[in-house]
Amino acid sequence: MTAITLYRPVGTAELKLIEASGWTAFPPRLPEQPIFYPVTNEAYAAQIARDWNAVHNDDRRGYVTRFAVAADFLAGFDKKVVGGREHEEYWIPAEDLPLFNAAIEGQIEVVAIFEGENA
């Protein structure tokens, strides 16, 4: 089976929930979060983790996670470009997150950590 490598910038609270899953699933979305958006490249994930999570989260930390998802599952979703060419992400409806998690192959891993001021 073919898999596609994706990335997701997260804060500490979300990372703890991923860890609690055994590094195999992302937590459910909050009611005000109708979309789960994994990104297609590490540089974009790092930009968000560094410039948003490490600045705006209470603990001033941001993490980049990397994971593989079955290509046949992702084929049902379009990639969206939300800025420059490098700002490419999938928009997964919150109600499809359990199916997305089931399509993850292997474990979710942390590949970068960012700490803002006063971390």
Side-chain angles (χ1 to χ4, degrees), residues 11-88:
T12 302
E14 189 171 356
L15 186 67
K16 287 180 180 179
L17 294 170
I18 294 166
E19 181 180 18
S21 79
W23 301 99
T24 60
F26 289 93
R29 305 303 288 154
L30 299 174
E32 66 273 14
Q33 299 171 320
I35 302 291
F36 176 77
Y37 60 95
V39 304
T40 62
N41 65 81
E42 188 173 350
Y44 178 31
Q47 180 183 22
I48 297 168
R50 180 190 64 239
D51 298 347
W52 177 258
N53 297 105
V55 172
H56 297 285
N57 288 345
D58 290 340
D59 67 356
R60 303 288 192 262
R61 293 183 190 275
Y63 306 87
V64 174
T65 61
R66 178 175 61 202
F67 51 97
V69 177
D72 59 344
F73 175 81
L74 285 176
F77 299 92
D78 293 328
K79 288 187 231 179
K80 308 284 186 183
V81 177
V82 297
R85 287 186 308 208
E86 70 279 6
H87 298 141
E88 188 175 64

